[in-house]
Amino acid sequence: VLLVETGLTTGTGGRFKRIAKYLTEDTFLATYGDSLSDVPIDRIIEHHRKLGVVATMCVMSSSQRFGVVRIANDKVVKFEEKPKTGSDLINGGFFVFNRKIFDYLDDQCVFEKEPLARLVADRQLAAYHHLGCHRAMDTLRDVQALNEEWNSGQAPWKTW
């Protein structure tokens, strides 16, 4: 594991951009790290490679308000971060990228804004619809609920 200091004010896209020099493979995974899930890593990578796109976003069903994804034929046709109206599919915060993603990023960009919009416009953002477990851990309440699930022995994200 390599921890990379990206700065306190760097946007999410800028944080991805700053790890480019450490990557040795064309395909790599990224996550925001603020949720737990049982995403099948091998399947999402296979899906990404099959579609031949720059980026694949794991989309999940949720009653919570996150970035909303619209898909057609496994390609993202619209992405809107935290819209005023609800949707069943959200940005699950798990991604597969190839190195071409760095062409969509600058050092300070917010990934959920211009880069995702450009990927959608270029038809280079695929969706992998994950039907399994997804738990946000954005608040103290979320963390307490996750700890309760873990302590009960019923943590659905635990796959080992």
Side-chain angles (χ1 to χ4, degrees), residues 34 136-149:
D34 61 354
M137 54 180 174
D138 299 322
T139 67
L140 178 58
R141 181 178 173 199
D142 294 337
V143 172
Q144 290 168 336
L146 291 167
N147 282 333
E148 286 175 22
E149 279 188 282

Side-chain angles (χ1 to χ4, degrees), residues 16 19-30 45 48-49 54 96-102:
F16 289 146
I19 64 154
K21 64 185 175 185
Y22 301 106
L23 299 173
T24 58
E25 302 292 328
D26 182 54
T27 302
F28 63 99
L29 305 171
I45 292 170
H48 172 79
R49 289 183 172 152
V54 172
V96 181
F97 295 133
N98 69 37
R99 293 187 71 79
K100 291 178 186 171
I101 191 65
F102 298 116

